[in-house]
Amino acid sequence: MTKNTISITLKALRKEHNLTQVDLAMKSGVGLNFVRELEQGKATVRLDKVAQVFALFDYELIPQKKKVEP
């Protein structure tokens, strides 16, 4: 699995708020395995659960056009 913006951002937010993966799973209402896989950059995850985890930090998922690098 490769790291992506979502996994990197989530891990940074979790650490910024001094939460363990267990804490994050419990507080956001998802399973520990989901949190671990999300932070590891698993390619296939349920977007509703991703949104649920990020809502804990007052973040939301939005569609955004890809930035093309020259």
Side-chain angles (χ1 to χ4, degrees):
M1 290 184 243
T2 59
K3 299 285 181 169
N4 54 47
T5 303
I6 289 176
S7 62
I8 293 167
T9 302
L10 178 61
K11 189 171 186 174
L13 285 168
R14 179 177 61 77
K15 289 183 178 253
E16 180 182 319
H17 288 83
N18 297 315
L19 296 172
T20 65
Q21 288 180 333
V22 173
D23 294 335
L24 178 58
M26 289 177 38
K27 288 181 181 242
S28 62
V30 300
L32 177 56
N33 283 339
F34 181 81
V35 170
R36 288 180 176 157
E37 290 174 348
L38 187 58
E39 283 193 5
Q40 291 172 0
K42 183 177 178 188
T44 56
V45 291
R46 288 186 42 187
L47 288 180
D48 61 327
K49 286 189 173 190
V50 175
Q52 186 176 336
V53 171
F54 274 96
L56 182 66
F57 303 109
D58 293 325
Y59 275 62
E60 63 183 4
L61 301 177
I62 58 170
Q64 181 176 344
K65 187 170 178 143
K66 284 185 176 183
K67 295 176 184 167
V68 178
E69 295 184 30

Coordinates of all heavy atoms in Angstrom, one line a residue:
M1 N 0.8 -1.2 0.0 CA 0.0 0.0 0.0 C 0.9 1.2 0.0 O 1.9 1.3 0.7 CB -0.9 0.0 1.2 CG -2.0 -1.0 1.2 SD -3.1 -0.9 2.6 CE -2.7 -2.5 3.4
T2 N 0.5 2.2 -0.8 CA 1.3 3.5 -0.8 C 0.5 4.5 0.0 O -0.7 4.6 0.0 CB 1.5 3.9 -2.3 OG1 0.2 4.1 -2.9 CG2 2.3 2.9 -3.1
K3 N 1.3 5.4 0.6 CA 0.7 6.5 1.3 C 0.0 7.5 0.3 O 0.5 7.7 -0.8 CB 1.7 7.3 2.1 CG 2.4 6.4 3.1 CD 1.6 6.1 4.3 CE 2.3 5.3 5.3 NZ 1.7 5.1 6.6
N4 N -1.1 8.1 0.8 CA -1.7 9.1 -0.1 C -2.1 10.2 0.8 O -1.9 10.2 2.0 CB -3.0 8.4 -0.7 CG -3.9 7.8 0.3 OD1 -4.2 8.4 1.3 ND2 -4.4 6.6 0.0
T5 N -2.7 11.3 0.2 CA -3.0 12.5 1.0 C -3.9 12.2 2.2 O -3.7 12.7 3.3 CB -3.7 13.5 0.1 OG1 -2.8 13.8 -1.0 CG2 -3.9 14.8 0.8
I6 N -4.9 11.3 2.0 CA -5.8 11.0 3.1 C -5.1 10.3 4.2 O -5.2 10.7 5.4 CB -7.0 10.1 2.5 CG1 -7.9 11.0 1.7 CG2 -7.8 9.5 3.7 CD1 -9.0 10.2 1.0
S7 N -4.3 9.3 3.9 CA -3.6 8.6 5.0 C -2.6 9.5 5.7 O -2.5 9.4 6.9 CB -2.9 7.3 4.4 OG -1.9 7.7 3.5
I8 N -1.9 10.3 5.0 CA -0.9 11.2 5.6 C -1.6 12.2 6.5 O -1.2 12.5 7.6 CB 0.0 11.9 4.5 CG1 0.8 10.8 3.8 CG2 0.8 13.0 5.1 CD1 1.5 11.3 2.5
T9 N -2.7 12.8 6.0 CA -3.4 13.8 6.7 C -4.0 13.2 8.0 O -3.9 13.8 9.1 CB -4.5 14.5 5.8 OG1 -3.9 15.0 4.7 CG2 -5.3 15.5 6.6
L10 N -4.6 12.1 7.8 CA -5.2 11.4 9.0 C -4.2 11.2 10.1 O -4.5 11.5 11.3 CB -6.0 10.1 8.6 CG -6.6 9.4 9.8 CD1 -7.6 10.3 10.5 CD2 -7.2 8.1 9.3
K11 N -3.1 10.6 9.7 CA -2.1 10.3 10.7 C -1.6 11.5 11.4 O -1.4 11.6 12.6 CB -0.9 9.5 10.1 CG 0.1 9.0 11.1 CD 1.1 8.1 10.4 CE 1.9 7.4 11.5 NZ 2.8 6.4 10.9
A12 N -1.4 12.6 10.7 CA -0.9 13.9 11.2 C -2.0 14.4 12.2 O -1.6 14.9 13.3 CB -0.6 14.9 10.1
L13 N -3.2 14.4 11.8 CA -4.3 14.9 12.7 C -4.4 14.1 14.0 O -4.6 14.6 15.1 CB -5.6 14.9 12.0 CG -5.9 15.9 10.9 CD1 -7.1 15.6 10.1 CD2 -6.0 17.3 11.6
R14 N -4.3 12.8 13.8 CA -4.4 11.9 15.0 C -3.2 12.2 16.0 O -3.5 12.3 17.2 CB -4.3 10.4 14.5 CG -4.3 9.4 15.7 CD -4.4 8.0 15.2 NE -3.2 7.6 14.5 CZ -2.0 7.3 15.0 NH1 -1.8 7.4 16.3 NH2 -1.0 6.9 14.3
K15 N -2.0 12.4 15.4 CA -0.9 12.6 16.3 C -1.0 14.0 16.9 O -0.7 14.3 18.1 CB 0.4 12.5 15.5 CG 0.7 11.0 15.3 CD 2.0 10.8 14.6 CE 2.3 9.4 14.3 NZ 3.3 8.8 15.2
E16 N -1.5 15.0 16.1 CA -1.7 16.4 16.6 C -2.6 16.4 17.8 O -2.5 17.2 18.7 CB -2.2 17.2 15.5 CG -2.4 18.7 15.8 CD -3.0 19.4 14.6 OE1 -2.5 19.2 13.5 OE2 -3.9 20.3 14.8
H17 N -3.6 15.5 17.8 CA -4.6 15.5 18.9 C -4.2 14.4 19.9 O -5.1 14.1 20.8 CB -6.0 15.2 18.3 CG -6.5 16.4 17.5 ND1 -6.2 16.7 16.2 CD2 -7.4 17.4 17.9 CE1 -6.9 17.7 15.8 NE2 -7.6 18.2 16.9
N18 N -3.0 13.9 19.9 CA -2.5 13.0 20.8 C -3.4 11.8 21.0 O -3.8 11.3 22.1 CB -2.3 13.6 22.2 CG -1.2 14.7 22.1 OD1 -0.2 14.5 21.5 ND2 -1.5 15.9 22.7
L19 N -3.9 11.2 19.9 CA -4.7 10.0 19.9 C -4.0 8.8 19.4 O -3.2 8.9 18.4 CB -6.0 10.2 19.0 CG -6.9 11.3 19.4 CD1 -8.0 11.5 18.3 CD2 -7.6 11.0 20.7
T20 N -4.2 7.7 20.0 CA -3.7 6.4 19.4 C -4.7 6.0 18.4 O -5.8 6.5 18.2 CB -3.6 5.4 20.5 OG1 -4.9 5.0 21.0 CG2 -2.7 5.8 21.7
Q21 N -4.3 5.0 17.6 CA -5.2 4.4 16.6 C -6.4 3.9 17.3 O -7.6 4.0 16.8 CB -4.5 3.4 15.8 CG -3.5 3.9 14.8 CD -2.8 2.9 14.0 OE1 -2.7 1.7 14.4 NE2 -2.4 3.3 12.8
V22 N -6.3 3.3 18.5 CA -7.4 2.7 19.2 C -8.3 3.8 19.7 O -9.5 3.7 19.5 CB -6.9 1.9 20.5 CG1 -8.0 1.5 21.4 CG2 -6.1 0.7 20.1
D23 N -7.8 4.9 20.2 CA -8.6 6.1 20.6 C -9.4 6.6 19.4 O -10.6 6.9 19.5 CB -7.7 7.2 21.1 CG -7.0 6.9 22.4 OD1 -7.4 6.1 23.2 OD2 -5.9 7.6 22.6
L24 N -8.7 6.8 18.2 CA -9.4 7.3 17.1 C -10.5 6.4 16.6 O -11.6 6.8 16.3 CB -8.4 7.5 15.9 CG -8.9 8.0 14.6 CD1 -9.6 9.3 14.8 CD2 -7.8 8.1 13.6
A25 N -10.3 5.1 16.6 CA -11.3 4.1 16.2 C -12.5 4.3 17.2 O -13.7 4.3 16.7 CB -10.8 2.7 16.2
M26 N -12.3 4.3 18.4 CA -13.4 4.4 19.4 C -14.1 5.7 19.3 O -15.4 5.7 19.3 CB -12.8 4.2 20.8 CG -12.4 2.7 21.1 SD -11.7 2.4 22.7 CE -12.6 3.4 23.8
K27 N -13.4 6.8 19.2 CA -14.1 8.1 19.2 C -14.8 8.3 17.9 O -15.8 9.1 17.9 CB -13.1 9.2 19.4 CG -12.6 9.3 20.8 CD -11.6 10.4 21.0 CE -11.1 10.4 22.4 NZ -11.4 11.6 23.2
S28 N -14.4 7.8 16.8 CA -15.0 8.0 15.5 C -16.1 6.9 15.2 O -16.8 7.1 14.2 CB -14.0 8.1 14.4 OG -13.3 6.9 14.2
G29 N -16.1 5.8 15.9 CA -17.1 4.8 15.7 C -16.8 3.8 14.6 O -17.7 3.3 14.0
V30 N -15.5 3.7 14.3 CA -15.1 2.7 13.2 C -14.2 1.7 13.9 O -13.7 1.9 15.0 CB -14.4 3.4 12.0 CG1 -15.3 4.4 11.4 CG2 -13.1 4.0 12.4
G31 N -13.9 0.6 13.2 CA -13.0 -0.4 13.7 C -11.6 -0.1 13.7 O -11.1 0.7 12.8
L32 N -10.8 -0.7 14.5 CA -9.4 -0.4 14.6 C -8.7 -0.8 13.3 O -7.8 -0.1 12.8 CB -8.7 -1.2 15.8 CG -7.2 -1.1 15.9 CD1 -6.8 0.3 16.0 CD2 -6.8 -1.9 17.1
N33 N -9.1 -2.0 12.7 CA -8.5 -2.4 11.5 C -8.7 -1.4 10.4 O -7.9 -1.1 9.5 CB -9.0 -3.8 11.0 CG -8.4 -4.9 11.8 OD1 -7.3 -4.7 12.4 ND2 -9.1 -6.0 11.8
F34 N -9.9 -0.7 10.4 CA -10.2 0.3 9.4 C -9.2 1.5 9.5 O -8.7 1.9 8.5 CB -11.7 0.8 9.5 CG -12.0 1.8 8.4 CD1 -12.3 1.4 7.2 CD2 -11.9 3.2 8.7 CE1 -12.6 2.4 6.2 CE2 -12.2 4.1 7.8 CZ -12.6 3.7 6.5
V35 N -9.0 1.9 10.7 CA -8.1 3.0 11.0 C -6.7 2.6 10.5 O -6.0 3.4 9.8 CB -8.1 3.4 12.5 CG1 -6.9 4.4 12.8 CG2 -9.4 4.0 12.9
R36 N -6.2 1.4 10.8 CA -4.9 1.0 10.4 C -4.8 1.0 8.9 O -3.8 1.4 8.4 CB -4.6 -0.4 11.0 CG -4.4 -0.3 12.5 CD -4.1 -1.7 13.1 NE -3.7 -1.6 14.5 CZ -3.9 -2.6 15.4 NH1 -4.3 -3.7 15.0 NH2 -3.5 -2.4 16.6
E37 N -5.7 0.4 8.3 CA -5.7 0.3 6.8 C -5.7 1.6 6.2 O -5.0 1.9 5.2 CB -6.8 -0.6 6.3 CG -6.6 -2.1 6.6 CD -7.8 -2.9 6.3 OE1 -8.9 -2.4 5.9 OE2 -7.7 -4.2 6.3
L38 N -6.5 2.5 6.7 CA -6.7 3.9 6.2 C -5.3 4.6 6.3 O -4.9 5.2 5.3 CB -7.8 4.6 6.9 CG -8.1 6.0 6.4 CD1 -8.6 5.9 4.9 CD2 -9.3 6.6 7.2
E39 N -4.7 4.5 7.4 CA -3.4 5.2 7.6 C -2.3 4.5 6.8 O -1.3 5.2 6.4 CB -3.0 5.2 9.1 CG -3.7 6.2 9.9 CD -3.1 6.4 11.3 OE1 -2.0 5.8 11.6 OE2 -3.7 7.1 12.1
Q40 N -2.4 3.3 6.4 CA -1.5 2.6 5.6 C -1.7 2.9 4.1 O -0.9 2.5 3.3 CB -1.5 1.1 5.8 CG -1.0 0.7 7.2 CD -1.2 -0.7 7.5 OE1 -1.7 -1.5 6.7 NE2 -0.8 -1.2 8.7
G41 N -2.8 3.6 3.8 CA -3.1 3.9 2.4 C -3.8 2.9 1.6 O -3.6 2.8 0.3
K42 N -4.6 2.1 2.2 CA -5.3 1.0 1.5 C -6.1 1.7 0.4 O -6.8 2.7 0.6 CB -6.3 0.3 2.4 CG -7.0 -0.8 1.7 CD -7.9 -1.6 2.7 CE -8.6 -2.7 1.9 NZ -9.6 -3.4 2.8
A43 N -6.1 1.1 -0.8 CA -6.7 1.7 -2.0 C -8.2 1.6 -2.0 O -8.9 2.5 -2.6 CB -6.1 1.0 -3.2
T44 N -8.8 0.6 -1.4 CA -10.2 0.5 -1.4 C -10.8 0.6 0.1 O -10.5 -0.3 0.9 CB -10.7 -0.9 -2.0 OG1 -10.0 -1.9 -1.2 CG2 -10.3 -1.0 -3.4
V45 N -11.4 1.7 0.3 CA -12.0 1.9 1.6 C -13.4 2.5 1.4 O -13.7 3.1 0.4 CB -11.2 2.9 2.5 CG1 -9.9 2.3 3.0 CG2 -10.9 4.2 1.8
R46 N -14.3 2.4 2.4 CA -15.6 3.0 2.3 C -15.5 4.4 2.6 O -15.1 4.9 3.7 CB -16.5 2.3 3.3 CG -16.9 0.9 2.9 CD -17.9 0.2 3.8 NE -19.0 1.1 4.2 CZ -19.9 0.8 5.1 NH1 -19.9 -0.4 5.7 NH2 -20.9 1.6 5.4
L47 N -16.0 5.2 1.7 CA -15.9 6.7 1.8 C -16.8 7.2 3.0 O -16.4 8.2 3.6 CB -16.3 7.4 0.5 CG -15.3 7.3 -0.6 CD1 -15.8 8.0 -1.8 CD2 -14.0 7.9 -0.2
D48 N -17.9 6.5 3.3 CA -18.7 7.0 4.4 C -18.0 6.8 5.7 O -18.0 7.7 6.6 CB -20.1 6.2 4.4 CG -19.9 4.7 4.6 OD1 -18.9 4.1 4.1 OD2 -20.8 4.1 5.3
K49 N -17.2 5.8 5.8 CA -16.4 5.6 7.0 C -15.2 6.6 7.1 O -14.8 7.1 8.1 CB -15.9 4.2 7.1 CG -16.9 3.2 7.5 CD -16.3 1.8 7.8 CE -17.3 0.9 8.4 NZ -16.7 -0.3 8.9
V50 N -14.6 6.9 5.9 CA -13.5 7.9 5.9 C -14.1 9.2 6.3 O -13.5 9.9 7.2 CB -12.9 8.0 4.5 CG1 -11.9 9.1 4.4 CG2 -12.3 6.6 4.0
A51 N -15.2 9.6 5.8 CA -15.9 10.8 6.2 C -16.2 10.9 7.7 O -16.0 11.9 8.4 CB -17.1 11.1 5.4
Q52 N -16.6 9.7 8.2 CA -16.9 9.6 9.6 C -15.7 9.9 10.5 O -15.8 10.6 11.5 CB -17.5 8.2 9.9 CG -18.0 7.9 11.3 CD -18.6 6.5 11.3 OE1 -19.0 5.9 10.4 NE2 -18.6 6.0 12.5
V53 N -14.6 9.3 10.1 CA -13.3 9.5 10.9 C -12.9 11.0 10.8 O -12.6 11.6 11.8 CB -12.2 8.6 10.3 CG1 -10.9 8.9 10.9 CG2 -12.5 7.1 10.6
F54 N -12.9 11.6 9.6 CA -12.5 13.0 9.4 C -13.4 14.0 10.1 O -13.0 15.0 10.5 CB -12.3 13.3 8.0 CG -10.9 12.9 7.5 CD1 -10.7 11.8 6.8 CD2 -9.8 13.8 7.7 CE1 -9.4 11.4 6.4 CE2 -8.5 13.4 7.3 CZ -8.3 12.2 6.6
A55 N -14.7 13.6 10.3 CA -15.6 14.5 10.9 C -15.2 14.7 12.4 O -15.5 15.8 12.9 CB -17.0 13.9 10.9
L56 N -14.5 13.8 13.0 CA -14.1 13.9 14.3 C -13.2 15.2 14.5 O -13.1 15.8 15.5 CB -13.3 12.7 14.8 CG -12.8 12.6 16.2 CD1 -14.0 12.6 17.2 CD2 -11.9 11.4 16.4
F57 N -12.5 15.5 13.4 CA -11.6 16.6 13.4 C -12.1 17.9 12.7 O -11.4 18.8 12.3 CB -10.2 16.2 12.7 CG -9.6 15.1 13.3 CD1 -9.5 13.8 12.7 CD2 -9.0 15.2 14.6 CE1 -8.9 12.7 13.3 CE2 -8.3 14.1 15.2 CZ -8.3 12.9 14.5
D58 N -13.5 17.8 12.4 CA -14.2 18.9 11.7 C -13.6 19.1 10.2 O -13.5 20.2 9.7 CB -14.1 20.2 12.4 CG -14.9 20.2 13.7 OD1 -16.0 19.5 13.7 OD2 -14.5 20.8 14.7
Y59 N -13.3 17.9 9.6 CA -12.9 17.9 8.2 C -14.0 17.3 7.4 O -14.7 16.5 7.9 CB -11.6 17.1 8.0 CG -10.3 17.9 8.2 CD1 -10.0 18.4 9.5 CD2 -9.4 18.0 7.2 CE1 -8.8 19.1 9.7 CE2 -8.2 18.7 7.4 CZ -7.9 19.2 8.7 OH -6.7 19.9 8.9
E60 N -14.0 17.6 6.1 CA -15.0 17.0 5.2 C -14.3 16.6 3.9 O -13.3 17.2 3.6 CB -16.2 17.8 4.9 CG -15.9 19.1 4.2 CD -17.1 20.0 4.0 OE1 -18.2 19.7 4.4 OE2 -16.9 21.0 3.3
L61 N -14.8 15.6 3.3 CA -14.2 15.2 2.0 C -15.0 15.9 0.9 O -16.2 16.0 0.9 CB -14.4 13.6 1.8 CG -13.8 12.8 2.9 CD1 -14.1 11.3 2.6 CD2 -12.3 13.0 2.9
I62 N -14.2 16.4 0.0 CA -14.8 17.1 -1.2 C -14.2 16.7 -2.4 O -13.0 16.4 -2.5 CB -14.7 18.7 -1.0 CG1 -13.3 19.1 -0.9 CG2 -15.5 19.2 0.2 CD1 -13.0 20.6 -1.0
P63 N -14.9 16.6 -3.5 CA -14.3 16.3 -4.8 C -13.5 17.5 -5.3 O -13.9 18.7 -5.1 CB -15.5 16.1 -5.7 CG -16.7 16.7 -5.1 CD -16.4 16.8 -3.6
Q64 N -12.4 17.2 -5.8 CA -11.5 18.3 -6.3 C -10.8 17.8 -7.5 O -10.4 16.7 -7.6 CB -10.4 18.6 -5.2 CG -9.5 19.7 -5.6 CD -8.5 20.0 -4.4 OE1 -8.8 19.7 -3.3 NE2 -7.5 20.7 -4.7
K65 N -10.7 18.7 -8.5 CA -10.0 18.4 -9.7 C -8.5 18.1 -9.5 O -7.9 18.8 -8.7 CB -10.2 19.5 -10.8 CG -9.7 19.1 -12.1 CD -10.1 20.2 -13.1 CE -9.5 19.7 -14.5 NZ -10.4 20.0 -15.6
K66 N -8.0 17.1 -10.2 CA -6.6 16.8 -10.0 C -5.7 18.0 -10.5 O -6.1 18.7 -11.5 CB -6.2 15.6 -10.8 CG -6.6 14.3 -10.2 CD -6.0 13.2 -11.1 CE -6.4 11.9 -10.5 NZ -5.7 10.8 -11.3
K67 N -4.6 18.2 -9.8 CA -3.7 19.3 -10.2 C -2.7 18.6 -11.1 O -2.1 17.6 -10.8 CB -3.0 19.9 -9.0 CG -3.9 20.6 -8.1 CD -3.2 21.1 -6.8 CE -4.3 21.7 -5.9 NZ -3.8 21.9 -4.6
V68 N -2.5 19.2 -12.3 CA -1.6 18.7 -13.3 C -0.3 19.4 -13.1 O -0.2 20.6 -13.2 CB -2.1 18.9 -14.7 CG1 -1.2 18.4 -15.8 CG2 -3.5 18.3 -14.9
E69 N 0.8 18.5 -12.9 CA 2.1 19.1 -12.8 C 2.8 19.2 -14.1 O 2.7 18.3 -14.9 CB 2.9 18.2 -11.8 CG 2.4 18.2 -10.4 CD 3.2 17.4 -9.5 OE1 4.5 17.3 -9.7 OE2 2.7 16.8 -8.6
P70 N 3.4 20.3 -14.4 CA 4.1 20.5 -15.7 C 5.2 19.6 -15.9 O 5.8 19.0 -15.1 CB 4.6 22.0 -15.6 CG 4.4 22.5 -14.3 CD 3.6 21.5 -13.5

